[in-house]
Amino acid sequence: MLLLLLLFTLAKATPFTKCDNNSSVQSVDVEGCPDGSEWCELTQGKKYRVTINFVSNADSNTLTATGSATGHGGQIALIGLDSNACDDNNIQCPIKKGQSYSYSLTVIIYHGYPLLESTVTFRLHDDKNNDVICGKLPVKVVTVLTCKLCLGKNLF
């Protein structure tokens, strides 16, 4: 039940890491994720803008987004993630190898999401199901009552 925490993303100031050396991510920005942080703290009831800048490693007529998060002993698919990455995410398909793109989406952390620490894995696949980008982002879902300086322990 993790949602689309997004995703992600990586490189820049966020604690995002690439899945492999083939990922062509240039930068990742998760709104509200401070520079140098170990985790991106995402507060229930808030929206976050996620932007991933990348150079395409393939020509493709489509771009498919997939994501999962660790939790409850396994991988959980991200709920609410629009799999059509060319649908209202700042990218128009087809995409071309060597061209720069900026994939962006808004992630909503609903009040019903569990309070937990997780690693979100996010991928964009080309029309041959090969990764165009792949990365992992450690996230911590917190409430507004959670002390950020208390290692995620709820004070109430």
Side-chain angles (χ1 to χ4, degrees), residues 23-110:
S23 186
S24 58
V25 174
Q26 303 298 304
S27 66
V28 175
D29 181 49
V30 179
E31 179 182 51
C33 185
D35 293 0
S37 61
E38 181 181 355
W39 297 85
C40 279
E41 286 194 1
L42 305 175
T43 304
Q44 289 175 326
K46 293 185 97 180
K47 294 180 183 180
Y48 296 88
R49 190 75 179 158
V50 178
T51 304
I52 305 169
N53 297 303
F54 67 97
V55 175
S56 179
N57 58 10
D59 291 334
S60 184
N61 291 317
T62 62
L63 202 55
T64 304
T66 62
S68 64
T70 57
H72 305 290
Q75 291 289 320
I76 302 168
L78 297 181
I79 297 170
L81 178 63
D82 184 358
S83 63
N84 183 353
C86 300
D87 182 26
D88 199 26
N89 293 306
N90 205 36
I91 294 178
Q92 291 190 339
C93 289
I95 62 169
K96 299 291 180 193
K97 182 176 182 173
Q99 296 269 338
S100 295
Y101 296 92
S102 182
Y103 175 80
S104 60
L105 69 154
T106 299
V107 176
I108 302 171
I109 308 302
Y110 294 101

Side-chain angles (χ1 to χ4, degrees), residues 1-3 5 39 67-79 113-121 136-141:
M1 211 177 142
L2 278 200
L3 69 108
L5 298 189
W39 297 85
S68 64
T70 57
H72 305 290
Q75 291 289 320
I76 302 168
L78 297 181
I79 297 170
Y113 290 150
L115 303 177
L116 54 71
E117 294 176 358
S118 179
T119 299
V120 174
T121 301
K136 297 181 180 197
L137 179 70
V139 298
K140 187 183 295 186
V141 178

